[in-house]
Amino acid sequence: RGPSDVIWGADKETLLDMPAVALPGDRWHRPKSTIDYVPYNQTIIAVDPSGRGKDETVAVVLSQINGFIFVRDMLATQDGYSDTTLRGILTLAKR
């Protein structure tokens, strides 16, 4: 379940533990309030496999409500497509 609507405030409260790497002056904000929690309309898991190269295999769980996309979970590993990595992706999907 997630919020059916998010109301953003103009206050200066930011999430300082995440760097904003876009334009100067950009920053992350917390929602001021949310309205009703409803079931997600759609959930997908996207996997970017690394094969046996030096980059990482990444799996991310995304859900959508009323056009808002929520990143719900993520897994990154440098273990290629080993059994451990595949089991981790399956565990992520089950959650």
Side-chain angles (χ1 to χ4, degrees):
R1 298 178 67 87
S4 64
D5 198 11
V6 179
I7 299 169
W8 300 101
D11 59 4
K12 298 291 184 187
E13 183 180 0
T14 62
L15 299 176
L16 300 176
D17 59 339
M18 290 177 49
V21 294
L23 299 173
D26 284 354
R27 57 190 173 270
W28 296 98
H29 290 275
R30 290 185 173 99
K32 190 160 190 78
S33 66
T34 57
I35 300 172
D36 290 333
Y37 278 73
V38 298
Y40 291 107
N41 299 115
Q42 180 181 28
T43 297
I44 63 168
I45 299 173
V47 179
D48 178 18
S50 68
R52 294 285 181 206
K54 293 184 181 195
D55 59 338
E56 292 181 305
T57 294
V58 176
V60 63
V61 179
L62 303 166
S63 294
Q64 181 269 130
I65 298 174
N66 297 334
F68 288 104
I69 298 173
F70 299 89
V71 177
R72 297 185 49 209
D73 208 346
M74 185 174 10
L75 169 78
T77 178
Q78 294 181 334
D79 200 20
Y81 49 87
S82 70
D83 287 347
T84 303
T85 297
L86 297 176
R87 273 195 224 80
I89 292 170
L90 288 173
T91 301
L92 188 74
K94 285 170 83 172
R95 261 198 323 258

